[in-house]
Each structure stands twice: as C-alpha cells, then as structure tokens.
Amino acid sequence: MVKLTFMGHSCFLIEDSSFKLIIDPFLSGNPVAAMKPADLKVDYILLTHGHGDHIGDAVEIAKRCDASVISNFELSLYLGQKGIKKTIGPHIGGGCKLPFGSVKLTIAHHGSTLGSEVAYGGNPVGFIIRIAGKTIYHSGDTGLFLDMKLIGELDKIDIALLPIGGFYTMDANDAAKAVEFLRPRRVIPMHYNTFDLIKADAQEFAKKAKHHGSDCVILNPGESFTVE
Ligand code: NI
Ligand code: MN
C-alpha cells in the first residue's frame, strides 16, 4: 500500500509503512501549499530540476530531517555545495536501488536553472519510482514527447503524475496525449492553478484521460490517494 498526498503544484508526499519521500517540495511562497516545510518529516527528497518552484524548501528540509536528496548529477553537486550531506546523483536512463525500492531517471523537455541563480543545473528529469510493489511516474516539468510510449512500455505504471497547466509545460490536451502514450492505470494532474499563468480545467482533463482508459484522480492540495 502506498499513500500519495498532493501538497500543491508538483509536490507529492509518498509514504509506505516504513518510508516517507517528498518530490519537489515547493511550500514556502507556494500560494496553494498544503503544509509548512517545518512540519514535514521525510527520509528522501526527490528533485526533478532546479527551478525555484521545484527545489523549493529542499535544502532546509534535507538538513533538518537528515534526508537523502535524489536528483540528477549536476543538481546533486550544487546541493552538496549548499551543505547537504546525503546527495544521490544518478542520471537519465540510470537510477538506483534504495531501501524503499528504486528510482529511475527519465528525460523531461524543460530547463533547469538553480533556484534563483542563473547557473545551469543539468537536464531536468522525471522519475519512475518503485515502492511497495507499485510504480509511480512523476514526469517533472515537461512538454509532451513521443518517448513516453517507451516509458509506458518498459513499466506498467500504477499512477502517473502529469502537468496540465500549459505555458511552462504540457497543457491538458497534450497531457491527455501523454496518457495515451503512457497507459497508466491512474493519473493525477499537477502543475496547474498555482498561479493564473497555469490555469487549467482538471475535469476536462479527466474526461480525456478516461477516453484513453485511465482513471483521473483530482486531488486538492492536502488530499491523499492510496494506491492499493
Ligand atoms: Ni520548471
Ligand atoms: Mn515548474
């Protein structure tokens, strides 16, 4: 059993009976954040890329919780310079086994400056996360790409987390095409309605996802879904 809690924007807390993981912990300055960073207790932090709305409070949370941070190699070097002791920095197509299961890095078509610094953080990534016998795909910020077919072919995805907000990433139409490529059992939309620039209609997306055979689970910030 794996529990996912949507924390707002692209941030998800993932829990099994032993471990807590958080992806892209953008909470401070996030108008829809479901929790304060100081209230979090996690074992692992996964970062898709260096933009401020993804790296967020990662440095503070990692230091306070003594959490391991998993990101691409370049971002892991940067985090090391920021004083994070436990960094894990594999790269696209690779990954690693971890006490909760495993993580594999996928491509994502986007950029990655480092927080507010205009320095480059390597290629942005998505994650295939295996935990408690379930497979979760978090695409990170990305445009639609045909290789999503391959991602869906290599892994039976129990739940896909996809951006639908447009402007910086796929919009709901392209995300519906992503569902067709990935064929996940379920999909949760993310990276929308945080700001006016990325407004989207999740119900419209849900209809399109259903057409491609996936159940869409719409979570408001703070709401959870348990993958049985
Ligand atoms: Ni971004
Ligand atoms: Mn973003």
Side-chain angles (χ1 to χ4, degrees), residues 85-147:
K85 292 198 179 66
K86 299 198 296 199
T87 59
I88 303 171
H91 230 306
I92 293 165
C96 52
K97 286 199 166 65
L98 290 157
F100 63 80
S102 69
V103 166
K104 184 179 179 184
L105 276 60
T106 66
I107 59 169
H109 292 306
H110 193 64
S112 182
T113 44
L114 298 166
S116 56
E117 297 173 32
V118 187
Y120 209 62
N123 285 313
V125 305
F127 291 110
I128 290 283
I129 302 157
R130 293 190 188 82
I131 180 167
K134 302 296 176 193
T135 301
I136 299 165
Y137 171 55
H138 187 297
S139 73
D141 280 4
T142 186
L144 179 65
F145 55 90
L146 188 60
D147 285 6

Coordinates of all heavy atoms in Angstrom, one line a residue, residues 85-147:
K85 N 24.5 16.8 3.1 CA 25.5 15.7 3.2 C 25.1 14.5 2.4 O 25.9 13.9 1.7 CB 25.6 15.3 4.7 CG 26.2 16.4 5.5 CD 26.8 15.9 6.8 CE 27.4 17.0 7.6 NZ 26.4 18.0 8.1
K86 N 23.8 14.2 2.4 CA 23.4 12.9 1.7 C 22.8 13.2 0.3 O 21.6 13.4 0.3 CB 22.5 12.1 2.6 CG 23.2 11.8 3.9 CD 22.5 10.6 4.7 CE 21.2 10.9 5.2 NZ 20.7 10.0 6.3
T87 N 23.6 13.3 -0.7 CA 23.1 13.5 -2.0 C 23.3 12.2 -2.8 O 24.3 11.5 -2.7 CB 23.8 14.7 -2.8 OG1 25.2 14.4 -2.8 CG2 23.6 16.0 -2.0
I88 N 22.3 11.9 -3.7 CA 22.4 10.8 -4.6 C 22.2 11.4 -6.0 O 21.1 11.9 -6.3 CB 21.4 9.7 -4.3 CG1 21.5 9.3 -2.8 CG2 21.5 8.5 -5.2 CD1 20.4 8.4 -2.3
G89 N 23.2 11.2 -6.9 CA 23.1 11.9 -8.2 C 23.3 11.0 -9.4 O 24.3 11.2 -10.1
P90 N 22.3 10.2 -9.7 CA 22.4 9.4 -10.9 C 22.1 10.3 -12.1 O 22.0 11.5 -12.0 CB 21.4 8.3 -10.7 CG 20.4 8.8 -9.7 CD 21.1 9.9 -8.9
H91 N 21.8 9.6 -13.3 CA 21.4 10.5 -14.4 C 20.4 9.7 -15.3 O 20.1 8.5 -15.1 CB 22.6 11.0 -15.2 CG 22.5 12.5 -15.4 ND1 21.4 13.0 -16.0 CD2 23.4 13.5 -15.1 CE1 21.6 14.3 -16.1 NE2 22.7 14.7 -15.6
I92 N 20.0 10.4 -16.3 CA 18.9 9.9 -17.2 C 19.2 8.5 -17.7 O 20.2 8.3 -18.3 CB 18.7 11.0 -18.3 CG1 18.1 12.3 -17.7 CG2 17.7 10.4 -19.4 CD1 18.2 13.4 -18.7
G93 N 18.2 7.7 -17.6 CA 18.3 6.3 -18.1 C 18.9 5.4 -17.0 O 18.7 4.2 -17.1
G94 N 19.5 6.0 -16.0 CA 20.0 5.3 -14.9 C 19.2 5.5 -13.7 O 18.1 6.0 -13.8
G95 N 19.7 5.1 -12.5 CA 19.0 5.2 -11.3 C 19.6 4.4 -10.2 O 20.8 4.1 -10.4
C96 N 18.9 4.0 -9.2 CA 19.5 3.2 -8.1 C 18.4 2.5 -7.3 O 17.3 3.0 -7.3 CB 20.3 4.2 -7.3 SG 19.5 5.6 -6.7
K97 N 18.9 1.4 -6.7 CA 18.1 0.8 -5.7 C 18.2 1.5 -4.4 O 19.3 2.0 -4.1 CB 18.6 -0.7 -5.5 CG 18.2 -1.6 -6.7 CD 18.3 -3.0 -6.2 CE 17.7 -4.0 -7.2 NZ 18.4 -4.0 -8.5
L98 N 17.1 1.6 -3.6 CA 17.1 2.3 -2.4 C 16.3 1.4 -1.4 O 15.6 0.5 -1.8 CB 16.5 3.7 -2.5 CG 17.4 4.6 -3.4 CD1 16.6 5.7 -4.0 CD2 18.5 5.2 -2.5
P99 N 16.5 1.7 -0.1 CA 15.8 0.8 0.9 C 14.3 0.7 0.7 O 13.7 -0.3 1.0 CB 16.1 1.5 2.2 CG 17.4 2.2 2.0 CD 17.4 2.7 0.6
F100 N 13.6 1.7 0.1 CA 12.2 1.6 -0.2 C 11.8 1.0 -1.5 O 10.7 0.7 -1.8 CB 11.5 3.0 -0.1 CG 12.0 4.0 -1.2 CD1 11.6 4.0 -2.5 CD2 13.0 4.9 -0.8 CE1 12.0 4.8 -3.4 CE2 13.5 5.8 -1.8 CZ 13.0 5.8 -3.1
G101 N 12.8 0.8 -2.4 CA 12.5 0.2 -3.7 C 13.6 0.7 -4.7 O 14.8 0.5 -4.5
S102 N 13.2 1.5 -5.6 CA 14.2 2.1 -6.6 C 13.6 3.3 -7.3 O 12.4 3.6 -7.2 CB 14.5 1.0 -7.7 OG 13.4 0.8 -8.5
V103 N 14.6 4.0 -7.9 CA 14.3 5.2 -8.6 C 15.0 5.2 -10.0 O 16.2 4.8 -10.0 CB 14.7 6.5 -7.8 CG1 14.7 7.7 -8.7 CG2 13.8 6.7 -6.6
K104 N 14.3 5.5 -11.0 CA 15.0 5.6 -12.3 C 14.7 7.0 -12.9 O 13.6 7.5 -12.7 CB 14.4 4.6 -13.3 CG 15.1 4.5 -14.6 CD 14.5 3.4 -15.5 CE 15.2 3.4 -16.9 NZ 14.5 2.3 -17.7
L105 N 15.7 7.6 -13.5 CA 15.5 9.0 -14.1 C 15.1 8.9 -15.6 O 15.8 8.1 -16.3 CB 16.8 9.8 -13.9 CG 17.0 10.5 -12.5 CD1 17.0 9.5 -11.4 CD2 18.3 11.3 -12.5
T106 N 14.1 9.7 -15.9 CA 13.7 9.7 -17.3 C 14.0 11.1 -17.9 O 14.3 12.0 -17.2 CB 12.2 9.5 -17.4 OG1 11.5 10.6 -16.8 CG2 11.8 8.2 -16.7
I107 N 13.9 11.2 -19.2 CA 14.0 12.5 -19.8 C 12.8 13.4 -19.5 O 11.8 12.9 -19.2 CB 14.2 12.5 -21.4 CG1 13.0 11.8 -22.0 CG2 15.5 11.8 -21.8 CD1 12.9 11.9 -23.5
A108 N 13.1 14.7 -19.5 CA 12.0 15.7 -19.5 C 12.4 16.9 -20.3 O 13.6 17.2 -20.3 CB 11.8 16.1 -18.0
H109 N 11.5 17.4 -21.1 CA 11.9 18.5 -22.0 C 11.6 19.8 -21.4 O 10.4 20.2 -21.3 CB 11.2 18.4 -23.4 CG 11.8 17.2 -24.1 ND1 13.1 17.0 -24.4 CD2 11.1 16.1 -24.7 CE1 13.3 15.9 -25.1 NE2 12.1 15.4 -25.3
H110 N 12.6 20.5 -20.8 CA 12.4 21.7 -20.0 C 13.7 22.3 -19.8 O 14.7 22.0 -20.5 CB 11.7 21.2 -18.7 CG 11.1 22.3 -17.8 ND1 10.1 23.1 -18.2 CD2 11.4 22.7 -16.6 CE1 9.8 23.9 -17.3 NE2 10.6 23.7 -16.3
G111 N 13.8 23.3 -18.8 CA 15.1 23.9 -18.4 C 15.4 23.6 -17.0 O 14.6 22.9 -16.3
S112 N 16.5 24.1 -16.5 CA 16.9 23.8 -15.1 C 17.9 24.8 -14.6 O 19.1 24.4 -14.4 CB 17.3 22.4 -14.9 OG 17.6 22.2 -13.5
T113 N 17.5 26.1 -14.4 CA 18.5 26.9 -13.6 C 18.4 26.6 -12.2 O 17.4 25.9 -11.7 CB 18.1 28.4 -13.8 OG1 16.7 28.6 -13.7 CG2 18.6 28.9 -15.2
L114 N 19.3 27.0 -11.4 CA 19.4 26.6 -10.0 C 18.8 27.6 -9.0 O 19.3 28.6 -8.8 CB 20.9 26.4 -9.6 CG 21.6 25.3 -10.4 CD1 23.1 25.5 -10.2 CD2 21.2 24.0 -10.0
G115 N 17.6 27.3 -8.6 CA 16.9 28.2 -7.7 C 16.8 29.5 -8.3 O 16.3 29.7 -9.4
S116 N 17.3 30.6 -7.6 CA 17.2 31.9 -8.1 C 18.5 32.3 -8.9 O 18.7 33.4 -9.4 CB 17.0 32.9 -7.0 OG 18.0 32.7 -6.0
E117 N 19.5 31.3 -8.9 CA 20.8 31.6 -9.5 C 20.7 31.3 -11.0 O 20.1 30.3 -11.4 CB 21.9 30.7 -8.9 CG 22.0 31.1 -7.4 CD 23.0 30.1 -6.7 OE1 23.9 29.6 -7.4 OE2 22.8 29.9 -5.5
V118 N 21.3 32.2 -11.8 CA 21.3 31.9 -13.3 C 22.6 31.1 -13.6 O 23.6 31.5 -14.1 CB 21.3 33.2 -14.1 CG1 21.1 32.9 -15.6 CG2 20.1 34.1 -13.7
A119 N 22.5 29.8 -13.1 CA 23.5 28.9 -13.4 C 22.8 27.6 -13.8 O 21.7 27.3 -13.3 CB 24.4 28.7 -12.2
Y120 N 23.4 26.7 -14.6 CA 22.6 25.6 -15.1 C 22.7 24.4 -14.3 O 23.8 24.0 -13.8 CB 23.0 25.3 -16.6 CG 21.9 24.7 -17.3 CD1 20.7 25.5 -17.5 CD2 21.9 23.4 -17.8 CE1 19.6 24.9 -18.1 CE2 20.8 22.9 -18.5 CZ 19.7 23.7 -18.6 OH 18.6 23.1 -19.2
G121 N 21.6 23.7 -14.1 CA 21.5 22.5 -13.2 C 21.4 21.2 -13.9 O 21.0 20.2 -13.4
G122 N 22.0 21.2 -15.2 CA 21.9 19.9 -15.9 C 20.5 19.7 -16.5 O 19.6 20.6 -16.4
N123 N 20.3 18.6 -17.1 CA 19.0 18.3 -17.7 C 17.9 18.0 -16.7 O 18.2 17.3 -15.7 CB 19.0 17.1 -18.7 CG 19.7 17.4 -20.0 OD1 19.4 18.4 -20.6 ND2 20.7 16.5 -20.3
P124 N 16.8 18.6 -16.8 CA 15.7 18.2 -15.9 C 15.3 16.8 -16.2 O 15.6 16.2 -17.2 CB 14.5 19.2 -16.4 CG 14.9 19.5 -17.8 CD 16.3 19.5 -17.9
V125 N 14.6 16.2 -15.2 CA 14.3 14.8 -15.3 C 12.9 14.5 -14.8 O 12.2 15.4 -14.2 CB 15.3 13.9 -14.4 CG1 16.7 14.1 -14.9 CG2 15.1 14.1 -12.9
G126 N 12.4 13.3 -15.1 CA 11.2 12.7 -14.4 C 11.7 11.5 -13.6 O 12.9 11.2 -13.7
F127 N 10.8 10.9 -12.9 CA 11.2 9.8 -12.1 C 10.2 8.6 -12.3 O 9.0 8.9 -12.3 CB 11.2 10.1 -10.6 CG 12.2 11.1 -10.1 CD1 11.9 12.4 -9.8 CD2 13.6 10.7 -10.1 CE1 12.9 13.3 -9.3 CE2 14.5 11.5 -9.6 CZ 14.2 12.8 -9.3
I128 N 10.8 7.4 -12.4 CA 10.0 6.2 -12.2 C 10.4 5.7 -10.8 O 11.5 5.4 -10.5 CB 10.4 5.1 -13.2 CG1 9.8 5.5 -14.6 CG2 9.8 3.8 -12.8 CD1 8.4 5.3 -14.9
I129 N 9.4 5.7 -9.9 CA 9.6 5.3 -8.5 C 8.9 4.0 -8.3 O 7.7 3.8 -8.5 CB 9.0 6.4 -7.6 CG1 9.7 7.8 -7.9 CG2 9.2 6.0 -6.1 CD1 8.8 8.9 -7.4
R130 N 9.7 3.0 -7.8 CA 9.1 1.8 -7.4 C 9.1 1.7 -5.8 O 10.2 1.8 -5.2 CB 9.9 0.6 -8.0 CG 9.7 0.5 -9.5 CD 10.3 -0.8 -10.0 NE 10.3 -0.7 -11.5 CZ 11.2 -0.1 -12.2 NH1 12.3 0.5 -11.6 NH2 11.1 0.0 -13.5
I131 N 7.9 1.5 -5.3 CA 7.8 1.5 -3.8 C 6.6 0.6 -3.5 O 5.6 0.7 -4.1 CB 7.7 2.9 -3.2 CG1 7.5 2.9 -1.7 CG2 6.5 3.7 -3.9 CD1 7.7 4.3 -1.0
A132 N 6.9 -0.3 -2.5 CA 5.8 -1.2 -2.0 C 5.1 -1.9 -3.2 O 3.9 -2.1 -3.2 CB 4.8 -0.5 -1.1
G133 N 5.9 -2.4 -4.2 CA 5.3 -3.1 -5.3 C 4.5 -2.3 -6.3 O 3.9 -2.8 -7.2
K134 N 4.5 -1.0 -6.1 CA 3.8 -0.1 -7.0 C 4.8 0.8 -7.9 O 5.9 1.0 -7.4 CB 2.9 0.9 -6.3 CG 1.8 0.2 -5.4 CD 0.9 -0.6 -6.3 CE -0.1 -1.4 -5.4 NZ -0.8 -2.4 -6.1
T135 N 4.4 1.2 -9.0 CA 5.2 2.0 -9.9 C 4.5 3.4 -10.1 O 3.4 3.4 -10.6 CB 5.4 1.3 -11.3 OG1 6.1 0.0 -11.0 CG2 6.3 2.1 -12.2
I136 N 5.2 4.4 -9.8 CA 4.7 5.8 -9.9 C 5.6 6.5 -10.9 O 6.9 6.4 -10.8 CB 4.8 6.5 -8.5 CG1 3.9 5.7 -7.5 CG2 4.3 7.9 -8.6 CD1 4.1 6.1 -6.0
Y137 N 5.0 7.2 -11.8 CA 5.8 8.1 -12.7 C 5.5 9.5 -12.4 O 4.3 9.9 -12.6 CB 5.5 7.7 -14.2 CG 6.0 8.7 -15.2 CD1 7.4 8.9 -15.3 CD2 5.2 9.3 -16.2 CE1 7.9 9.8 -16.2 CE2 5.7 10.1 -17.1 CZ 7.1 10.4 -17.2 OH 7.6 11.2 -18.1
H138 N 6.5 10.3 -12.1 CA 6.4 11.8 -11.9 C 7.1 12.4 -13.1 O 8.4 12.2 -13.1 CB 6.9 12.2 -10.6 CG 6.7 13.7 -10.2 ND1 7.2 14.7 -11.0 CD2 6.0 14.3 -9.2 CE1 6.9 15.9 -10.4 NE2 6.2 15.6 -9.4
S139 N 6.5 13.0 -14.0 CA 7.1 13.4 -15.2 C 8.0 14.7 -15.1 O 8.8 15.0 -15.9 CB 6.1 13.8 -16.3 OG 5.5 15.0 -16.0
G140 N 7.9 15.4 -13.9 CA 8.6 16.6 -13.8 C 7.9 17.7 -14.7 O 6.8 17.4 -15.2
D141 N 8.6 18.8 -14.9 CA 8.1 19.8 -15.8 C 8.5 19.3 -17.2 O 9.7 19.1 -17.4 CB 8.7 21.2 -15.6 CG 8.0 21.9 -14.5 OD1 7.1 21.4 -13.8 OD2 8.4 23.1 -14.2
T142 N 7.6 19.1 -18.1 CA 8.0 18.7 -19.5 C 6.9 19.0 -20.5 O 5.7 19.2 -20.2 CB 8.3 17.2 -19.5 OG1 8.8 16.9 -20.8 CG2 7.1 16.3 -19.2
G143 N 7.4 19.2 -21.7 CA 6.5 19.1 -22.9 C 6.2 17.7 -23.2 O 6.8 16.8 -22.7
L144 N 5.2 17.5 -24.0 CA 4.9 16.1 -24.5 C 6.0 15.6 -25.3 O 6.6 16.3 -26.1 CB 3.6 16.2 -25.4 CG 3.1 14.9 -26.0 CD1 2.6 14.0 -24.9 CD2 1.9 15.3 -27.0
F145 N 6.3 14.3 -25.1 CA 7.3 13.7 -26.0 C 6.9 12.2 -26.3 O 6.3 11.5 -25.5 CB 8.7 13.8 -25.4 CG 8.9 13.2 -24.0 CD1 9.2 11.9 -23.8 CD2 8.7 14.1 -22.9 CE1 9.4 11.4 -22.5 CE2 8.9 13.6 -21.6 CZ 9.2 12.3 -21.4
L146 N 7.3 11.8 -27.5 CA 6.9 10.5 -28.0 C 7.5 9.3 -27.2 O 6.9 8.3 -27.1 CB 7.2 10.4 -29.5 CG 6.7 9.2 -30.3 CD1 5.2 9.1 -30.3 CD2 7.2 9.2 -31.7
D147 N 8.6 9.6 -26.6 CA 9.3 8.5 -25.8 C 8.5 8.1 -24.6 O 8.8 7.1 -23.9 CB 10.7 8.9 -25.4 CG 11.7 8.9 -26.5 OD1 11.3 8.7 -27.6 OD2 12.9 9.1 -26.2

